Amino acid sequence: MQRPSGRQPEQLRPIKITRNYTKHAEGSVLVEFGDTKVICTASVVPGVPPFLRGKDQGWLTAEYGMLPRSTGSRMGREAARGKQGGRTVEIQRLIGRSLRAAVDLNQLGENTLHIDCDVIQADGGTRTASITGAWVAIADAIAYMKKEGMTKGDPLLRAIASVSVGVYQGVPVLDLDYPEDSNADTDMNVVMANDGGIIEIQGTAEADPFTEEQFTAMFALAKLGIAELNKLQQEALTSDV
Amino acid sequence: MQRPSGRQPEQLRPIKITRNYTKHAEGSVLVEFGDTKVICTASVVPGVPPFLRGKDQGWLTAEYGMLPRSTGSRMGREAARGKQGGRTVEIQRLIGRSLRAAVDLNQLGENTLHIDCDVIQADGGTRTASITGAWVAIADAIAYMKKEGMTKGDPLLRAIASVSVGVYQGVPVLDLDYPEDSNADTDMNVVMANDGGIIEIQGTAEADPFTEEQFTAMFALAKLGIAELNKLQQEALTSDV
Amino acid sequence: MQRPSGRQPEQLRPIKITRNYTKHAEGSVLVEFGDTKVICTASVVPGVPPFLRGKDQGWLTAEYGMLPRSTGSRMGREAARGKQGGRTVEIQRLIGRSLRAAVDLNQLGENTLHIDCDVIQADGGTRTASITGAWVAIADAIAYMKKEGMTKGDPLLRAIASVSVGVYQGVPVLDLDYPEDSNADTDMNVVMANDGGIIEIQGTAEADPFTEEQFTAMFALAKLGIAELNKLQQEALTSDV
Amino acid sequence: MQRPSGRQPEQLRPIKITRNYTKHAEGSVLVEFGDTKVICTASVVPGVPPFLRGKDQGWLTAEYGMLPRSTGSRMGREAARGKQGGRTVEIQRLIGRSLRAAVDLNQLGENTLHIDCDVIQADGGTRTASITGAWVAIADAIAYMKKEGMTKGDPLLRAIASVSVGVYQGVPVLDLDYPEDSNADTDMNVVMANDGGIIEIQGTAEADPFTEEQFTAMFALAKLGIAELNKLQQEALTSDV
Amino acid sequence: MQRPSGRQPEQLRPIKITRNYTKHAEGSVLVEFGDTKVICTASVVPGVPPFLRGKDQGWLTAEYGMLPRSTGSRMGREAARGKQGGRTVEIQRLIGRSLRAAVDLNQLGENTLHIDCDVIQADGGTRTASITGAWVAIADAIAYMKKEGMTKGDPLLRAIASVSVGVYQGVPVLDLDYPEDSNADTDMNVVMANDGGIIEIQGTAEADPFTEEQFTAMFALAKLGIAELNKLQQEALTSDV
Amino acid sequence: MQRPSGRQPEQLRPIKITRNYTKHAEGSVLVEFGDTKVICTASVVPGVPPFLRGKDQGWLTAEYGMLPRSTGSRMGREAARGKQGGRTVEIQRLIGRSLRAAVDLNQLGENTLHIDCDVIQADGGTRTASITGAWVAIADAIAYMKKEGMTKGDPLLRAIASVSVGVYQGVPVLDLDYPEDSNADTDMNVVMANDGGIIEIQGTAEADPFTEEQFTAMFALAKLGIAELNKLQQEALTSDV
């Protein structure tokens, strides 16, 4: 088996995390997993949704979008069509749910962290890149909140990263790019914390069911990948910007 | 640990599968997982979506809904609000994706199996009940298609069932009802085939991450539950109706 | 003239009213007019719409829907299409308006009775079955409110039922089923109180106009039918459940 | 009992029918029932909706709207709110259904008569004025179609008019204006043909049920009113324009 | 060059401004630019949008619509399609922005002037007719507010009118009608005050760019036209109604 | 008068045009006017809208969007709200109309150039930057089409650029940034060709009307700015990428 990119089965694509990518957001990151490029911003917005008002806690919510020509052929613009597609909705719910596990909402005050992940170039793995990049944006936004005295203690509970794994031509591989993803037998997205805790696992058989053994092999690759991503996140956060 | 229902950790709720529940659909099933009741219909609709036209294959798609007062407090009616909520979209995508793994689309002719899962009473596990019941409706609808000479060979590839597992007060349990679901530390939905193949795994940490050991224990329970559900599906299909 | 069902012109279909059909709603009824089956729930929701706030009165509103495969061929799901069709809107306005005549809104407190009528199997007369069944659900919901001390006096003013009448092959007939309804010359829905008061009359010539004599004959049938339905409603309410 | 307008119970408001009110439509009428003013246009549009294609017949459909400030206080513009309200939907369905009874769709060729009724000033009875005025617009549009050789025989089957009747302060009255309508005990809209045939009856008890005697008295008034409206329609059609 | 209407290049169409055209609005004008006819109403609505609350100032906003058969062939009704088209949105923003320049919002109290411009017959220049007619409706509405003591000083800052100019067959012309507009090389809409101040200029090359000389010639015509329109507005306001 | 940025009145912000910014689109440009950054893609899509089918010509259309946190405070995502705002619609119509003047649609074959302008960071002048950058993307896309033999002759008629001018504290200035734009007395957007032809002028008085003299001074600045932008566009196109 030869991966289209020539990578080893357990090899991530080149990962790049650029902080302060745009100037307005409290946290703003361009994350690149190879040719997949996503702008992740974390906005600090005073107030919480109605169901949380008066409970002295904060909220985190996420939205996801793709520029119409981030993909090989142009997709219709969701704003023009008047609704978000099902795939968009599913992905942004995953992003929000995962990232809430990184934050202690009770320490945020009555503020909302509004995460936006906008794909400017897609080549597979946009949801895992989004989660990985958005976590860095959140770290920056929370640092801003702490500096401004908006939080109680430290709302950042743990580091979170995400990667995809799959079975490509019978072989478990890490971090699928688009040519792999569109031909994979099985595709699994894993979100984990830096201490090895599992936040979310979503595994899908594209056609034939997969076996428990395949699951185990894929999961082992995911752990490797996430450890590496955690390291790159920390490096990004400790670098000067 | 005492489950609110008094069940053993590895015990399913009473399961009931009623075929031919309504008279118009080619497959029509009322599935009950305890107090969770879902009407699952499989409609045979000639034609396929535009992206499949002329490819000599069929399609399967699913929609999901809840009656406004299927729940403890009344939810707004999605048709009146003018859009399906994010949770609905996420669930119906899971249902459709899972059930497509049960059907050989190349044997269906240019027909669409349109699955509708409508919850008339909710008590946790509506998506797993939907998948389990809808599979029986599909089996009936495909039997109808075969009798009518609409298929090529046998489009039914395998039996599919689904169950939830979770960690409740630190103990892995099978088939969560609402009181458990709303207090679970972790919640995982598993879809499997009757030969042990995995179709879909979706595991979510509600607050704290879960461990690989917990995953393994939950998955073992899921396998038990699905084997039992597969047996009940077969019994339903071989009973007179 | 022979009715497709073999019924006499003045004969209702078999009517069945099942209370406490689902467990969450304050009133929950499955009503069956022959093969037409509708789940009617009455939900007690604190608060009133903005235009009534502070007026010390309650409100009653109704919504109507059909499961996509309640009918002979599958209809598109209104929630997925993003709007309720014109027929749905027209019917739910009729249901709400009719049932408000059964309730003294000044005795309800600042609460809303939210009626949901969801057709799970359609065979003609879904709107008349909805009104007839929903009235029983309202009676149960109001009994609940009285027990909970939420009302002032007795908000239930009168019993309300509804039936269709039509001219089928030149003969006035009661309670049209779908084969009759789709071939009727004239179709009329009547809502009346148990004291003979008229709540709503909607008569429509499907192609040719109808005469005053035909109107009179149809109306006489409607009175018979509604008297019978009122009796069945009372029997349902006094039976143990 | 004194009617707010000083009219006799059986007296219509001053009725005015102006043909060729705007220049583009094949039929264009301004109809005035007192201060209620509606522009009714009948547009001849080649083609029919999908469900009628290839059946060698035509179609008639109607839409209704109110200018935002046609009423005492400004209503939100439906186009800006993104949906038609329930009342609008109910009224335009009544208008279309009623007017289809005036036209032999089999004589229209594969053309659609598209009726638009737009209220520029409202003072009660907008739906009855719409039907009455739109019928004249249809007569003009069909005359145009005949001249152009677009029809087979004569598609105009009969004259149709509509009027409201009600019980105001206990007395049956004809053609309610807004001050009466908003205080009426009962309100009934009647659509009839010039030969006395009934097209549509919609009677609604606003609060208390009404009796069969009241119905009979109201219906007698409606017949008088419609006969008068039919005469005015004919006068309009035979006048020079 | 011969204009289709036979007008001189610098000649307006016959202009007619009818005040008090409908009875409910505080200002109600029918404005006619030749065969273009627009009903312009100015409604005084207590309150302001959220972004202005508590700032002790008023607001002015405008909406625009066309009756479906105001045009040569029937357009779809925007309320039925569920959204306003791009052209509608662009025009109503222009109308609102222009008219706000006529009013001192600080003198209005916390009230909103809601302008509705509804085209009942279109023959080119509907947006310029709308602005010109709506200004007269505003003058009437503000007179009403002053009489009712709702304003502080005099909120009416200046008279505003609008006209189109274009290059038709190489010649600059004033006030294009539809036959000219649909064949013009260039089309420019100008909004000016009665003291010669410019409120808005929107010039568009339909195919080939236009020159600065053409701009200058068109603008000179616009000044002439607007001076004439201002005179007609004043005459309308000083006439008895 | 001191401009907030310290620029001279006739001085553009630093302009940067980066071609091939993303990899999928036939033309892909990041355009920067100071801190305003817009991704402009030109996609070649086979086929034309229905109103042009069979006419042997192409089409060009544009859509515009802003990332939710491209601005100082987060804006709601239009895809999530279910509609594009009025400002968005107005801008994308301007962009499309302007760019169509650069292209001979008769030379495009039955293909559509679909332009997407997505603002990733906003600091004033996003519409003028969009037009200027999108023109370069179009030039690249047309070069691609020519190489692929999709065009007849050369569809690129002329170079187009756009800039804003305004009156800031009484002084006409070129290329307003956000601090100027939000305080300007007058704001004008000009689109011109490289031969001095005018494509579009949109001038708006923000509060007080502006004079003809101010218009003339602003227009003179716009000509200067556009000449400079045209030069930068040509440099970008002739540089290696």
Side-chain angles (χ1 to χ4, degrees), chain B residues 98-111:
Chain B
S98 298
L99 293 171
R100 276 193 291 277
V103 176
D104 184 347
L105 300 175
N106 293 309
Q107 310 284 329
L108 275 185
E110 289 219 340
N111 299 295

Side-chain angles (χ1 to χ4, degrees), chain B residues 27 29-31 37-43 60-67 70 78 84 87-88 91-92 94-96 99 114-120 126-138, chain C residues 67-69 74 77:
Chain B
V29 164
L30 176 72
V31 64
K37 305 185 184 192
V38 187
I39 300 177
C40 306
T41 57
S43 299
L60 182 151
T61 185
E63 289 179 356
Y64 168 93
M66 300 181 87
L67 295 201
S70 59
E78 292 185 328
Q84 294 181 299
R87 178 183 168 278
T88 295
I91 290 176
Q92 72 190 8
L94 168 66
I95 296 173
L99 293 171
H114 217 308
I115 310 306
D116 289 287
C117 298
D118 284 275
V119 178
I120 63 176
T126 62
R127 76 191 75 185
T128 56
S130 292
I131 292 168
T132 304
W135 181 83
V136 178
I138 288 172
Chain C
L67 295 201
R69 197 55 197 283
R74 188 180 181 276
R77 182 179 292 268

